[in-house]
């Protein structure tokens, strides 16, 4: 079983030192940088705008995996792509035309992802799977870091993997929320190949990032 991609969420980083944090994650062996964008409307928090993404872009060549918890989402796609996003991931609930939104992301030259909240049905994938480069399963309800993993997500990972495999899709299957070394192995065994982690990576400060990332890969 291949080691999963580890995508540290900078939501859990030291916001006063974001550039240094991104460089430290790169040096520690992170695969992608996960950027949680929250608008205070779609979710109850406000985080990172496109100007911050643009400011961080020179600090690493790692892919920027930008999770847009924003509604309406369509007006923001170009701004985040121009700022340096490599992957733009959207919620079906954040706009009226998911198929169009995913197509637009690809037109902009980014990889397109769809996010499914704990209460969102996998049936959403049926008519967009051919446009998806990434399926992100939320293992917490979005809006805040530091939440506990919802165990029933493991069954959802299994079902999502079956859908992707049946469609012949090469899309990554990512899990986000409460991911730790204690449950990372179960997520991968269920079919995930990319893990978003916040506290589990950032605990202990920059000197611990490499060990934390390796613990997740080896779980």
């Amino acid at each position: 079983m291949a080691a999963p991609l580890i995508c540290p969420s900078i939501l859990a980083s030291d916001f006063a030192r974001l550039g240094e944090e991104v460089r430290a994650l790169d040096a520690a062996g992170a695969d992608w940088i996960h950027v949680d964008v929250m608008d205070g409307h779609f979710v109850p928090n406000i985080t990172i705008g496109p100007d911050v993404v643009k400011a961080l872009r020179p600090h690493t060549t790692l892919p920027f995996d930008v999770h847009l918890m924003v509604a309406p989402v369509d007006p923001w796609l170009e701004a985040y792509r121009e700022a340096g996003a490599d992957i733009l991931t959207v919620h079906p609930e954040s706009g009226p035309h998911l198929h169009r939104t995913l197509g637009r992301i690809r037109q902009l030259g980014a990889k397109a992802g769809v996010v499914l909240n704990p209460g969102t049905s996998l049936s959403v994938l049926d008519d967009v799977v051919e446009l998806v480069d990434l399926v992100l399963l939320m293992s917490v309800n979005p809006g805040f870091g530091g939440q506990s993993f919802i165990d029933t997500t493991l069954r959802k990972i299994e079902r999502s993997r079956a859908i992707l495999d049946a469609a012949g899709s090469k899309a990554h299957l990512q899990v986000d929320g409460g991911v730790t070394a204690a449950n990372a192995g179960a997520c991968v065994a269920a079919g995930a190949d990319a893990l978003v982690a916040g506290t589990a990576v950032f605990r202990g400060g920059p000197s611990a990032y490499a060990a934390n990332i390796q613990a997740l890969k080896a779980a």
Side-chain angles (χ1 to χ4, degrees):
M1 188 180 297
L5 299 172
I6 303 301
C7 318
S9 169
I10 58 172
L11 183 65
S13 70
D14 180 351
F15 270 35
R17 304 175 62 183
L18 275 178
E20 294 172 50
E21 292 276 52
V22 167
R23 292 198 302 273
L25 292 169
D26 191 328
D31 295 293
W32 298 349
I33 302 297
H34 189 82
V35 182
D36 284 307
V37 175
M38 305 181 186
D39 66 355
H41 169 68
F42 186 69
V43 291
N45 204 347
I46 297 174
T47 56
I48 294 172
D51 286 347
V52 176
V53 174
K54 183 177 180 180
L56 292 176
R57 185 66 278 181
H59 291 271
T60 182
T61 59
L62 292 177
F64 276 3
D65 167 27
V66 177
H67 173 191
L68 294 171
M69 289 168 272
V70 175
V73 73
D74 289 347
W76 291 101
L77 300 177
E78 291 188 26
Y80 279 97
R81 174 58 178 156
E82 290 174 1
D86 299 283
I87 306 164
L88 290 168
T89 311
V90 300
H91 290 255
E93 300 89 351
S94 66
H97 305 295
L98 178 61
H99 191 280
R100 178 187 295 167
T101 300
L102 295 170
R104 179 58 180 152
I105 292 170
R106 286 187 157 192
Q107 287 175 353
L108 292 170
K111 292 185 177 179
V114 63
V115 196
L116 304 180
N117 285 336
T120 303
S121 172
L122 292 178
S123 63
V124 167
L125 296 176
D126 290 347
D127 296 313
V128 298
V129 68
E130 76 281 357
L131 291 176
V132 168
D133 301 293
L134 172 72
V135 174
L136 170 53
L137 297 182
M138 294 302 299
S139 42
V140 299
N141 286 290
F144 300 97
Q147 299 184 68
S148 296
F149 185 88
I150 297 173
D151 291 334
T152 54
T153 305
L154 293 173
R155 294 198 300 272
K156 200 168 187 178
I157 297 170
E158 292 175 348
R159 300 200 313 273
S160 300
R161 173 51 61 196
I163 290 169
L164 293 175
D165 289 349
S169 173
K170 301 299 184 184
H172 288 288
L173 181 53
Q174 187 181 59
V175 181
D176 181 4
V179 173
T180 68
N183 57 38
C187 291
V188 174
D193 63 5
L195 303 175
V196 177
T199 305
V201 169
F202 288 93
R203 183 183 292 111
S207 64
Y209 293 172
N212 293 342
I213 287 170
Q214 286 307 309
L216 289 164
K217 282 185 175 288

